[in-house]
Amino acid sequence: MSEGTMQLRAQRDQRDQRAKRERLTRVLVGAAAVPVMLVAAGCSSDSGSGDGKDKAAQESTASASASPSPTVREAAFGKLPEPCSAVPKKTLDDLVPKAGSGKEGPSNDTAVRVSCSWDSLEDNGVKGSQFRWLSVSMLRFESDVRRGEGDKLARDHYQKQLKDAQTAEGAKGVRTTPVSGTGDEASVVRYDLKKKEGTYKQQTVVARVENVVVALDYNGAGLAGDKTPDADDLTKDAQKAAKEVVAAVRKANAKASGGTSSSGPSASKSPSDAASQSATASPAQSG
């Protein structure tokens, strides 16, 4: 074989080898691209799954937001009468003669609690004197989604007031009697209090009308040798006055609501100090 022929064959072999290497390179490059596409496809699938979860969470949140807030029945009464005007003048003249105007008790919210008191001393000369003391307090409870309906809160406080009257310090011969025709529920607690100046006959009427609790204290004593007043008479007078105070509560709310007694406060309000308010102590109890 001539030298020229051998040279041509060597060149042809080199071209064939280069062609094979180029084809192998293309195959390898193509094979490497396949996993990249699969990974990209996998990422796309995961992203779609996450979007679905987010959407479900958003729908759940929206559903919860659309749920109604807890509610409670609105209290029947939204105001209280003027305490020193709650007892008619004629009744005051009978129970505390010559007492004059009442003394209104302190309150940081007169829409929630009010009180008034009167005292009277009739001097009978050498026969002694007759002392009388009358006190009226009213406490109104608002409905609250956390604590409950106003009338239920008032019922609870009614029971507390009743117990406080029955366990008054120094009380002797305690008697408790239901009172009819005075609000939704009422009772009178009567007992004696022995003091150095004489024996006081104490009457406490506790009544509830809707979401308002009324506490009326009435006591009397014969001083400086005068005779001790009759407890039965004092009890009748106290019951009459308490009935009139309950009527004043209803009347005040009938005016506020244009002739009905359904006017009440917002259910979201709750006086935190209302539940701890108790009846005003009488001078006979504190003296």
Side-chain angles (χ1 to χ4, degrees):
M1 181 179 296
S2 66
E3 184 178 351
T5 302
M6 292 177 64
Q7 186 176 1
L8 290 173
R9 179 174 292 180
Q11 292 175 350
R12 189 168 53 248
D13 291 341
Q14 289 176 354
R15 286 196 301 270
D16 290 343
Q17 289 177 1
R18 281 199 302 269
K20 288 179 180 180
R21 284 197 299 270
E22 290 174 358
R23 285 196 301 271
L24 180 59
T25 299
R26 286 195 297 270
V27 170
L28 292 174
V29 171
V34 172
V36 174
M37 294 174 62
L38 291 176
V39 171
C43 290
S44 176
S45 175
D46 290 343
S47 176
S49 176
D51 289 344
K53 291 179 181 179
D54 292 344
K55 183 176 181 181
Q58 291 172 356
E59 290 176 352
S60 175
T61 302
S63 176
S65 300
S67 300
S69 299
T71 59
V72 64
R73 181 169 59 87
E74 190 174 31
F77 295 150
K79 65 179 299 185
L80 295 172
E82 292 291 334
C84 295
S85 301
V87 181
K89 185 179 185 305
K90 183 179 184 305
T91 301
L92 290 174
D93 290 341
D94 292 339
L95 271 61
V96 280
K98 302 177 182 180
S101 59
K103 180 182 179 181
E104 187 169 350
S107 174
N108 57 8
D109 189 349
T110 56
V112 173
R113 66 175 180 270
V114 293
S115 63
C116 189
S117 62
W118 303 258
D119 60 79
S120 171
L121 184 65
E122 282 191 307
D123 189 353
N124 297 318
V126 294
K127 294 182 179 180
S129 57
Q130 286 289 323
F131 173 79
R132 297 291 185 273
W133 184 81
L134 175 68
S135 173
V136 174
S137 65
M138 289 167 275
L139 183 62
R140 184 180 63 82
F141 289 83
E142 297 178 343
S143 294
D144 184 272
V145 294
R146 296 165 298 174
R147 300 171 61 225
E149 296 177 352
D151 57 348
K152 180 185 181 302
L153 297 173
R155 280 196 300 271
D156 293 342
H157 191 68
Y158 166 82
Q159 293 295 334
K160 180 181 181 301
Q161 289 280 76
L162 206 55
K163 184 176 180 181
D164 288 347
Q166 293 167 335
T167 57
E169 183 178 358
K172 303 294 183 182
V174 179
R175 294 170 55 189
T176 303
T177 307
V179 177
S180 61
T182 305
D184 297 301
E185 53 187 333
S187 297
V188 58
V189 181
R190 50 191 283 187
Y191 51 84
D192 292 347
L193 284 172
K194 301 285 186 179
K195 299 290 180 180
K196 61 182 180 180
E197 64 270 21
T199 299
Y200 289 82
K201 296 291 184 178
Q202 171 71 31
Q203 281 63 228
T204 299
V205 181
V206 183
R208 180 186 68 84
V209 52
E210 295 288 355
N211 57 309
V212 174
V213 176
V214 173
L216 183 143
D217 287 296
Y218 183 50
N219 65 44
L223 307 178
D226 206 344
K227 65 179 181 179
T228 300
D230 184 79
D232 290 337
D233 291 341
L234 295 179
T235 299
K236 290 177 183 177
D237 289 340
Q239 290 175 343
K240 177 188 176 187
K243 188 174 183 178
E244 290 171 335
V245 175
V246 167
V249 173
R250 287 196 172 110
K251 184 177 179 181
N253 286 276
K255 288 181 179 180
S257 58
T260 66
S261 60
S262 60
S263 175
S266 169
S268 63
K269 297 179 181 179
S270 63
S272 59
D273 58 343
S276 62
Q277 177 72 11
S278 60
T280 305
S282 74
Q285 293 169 320
S286 59

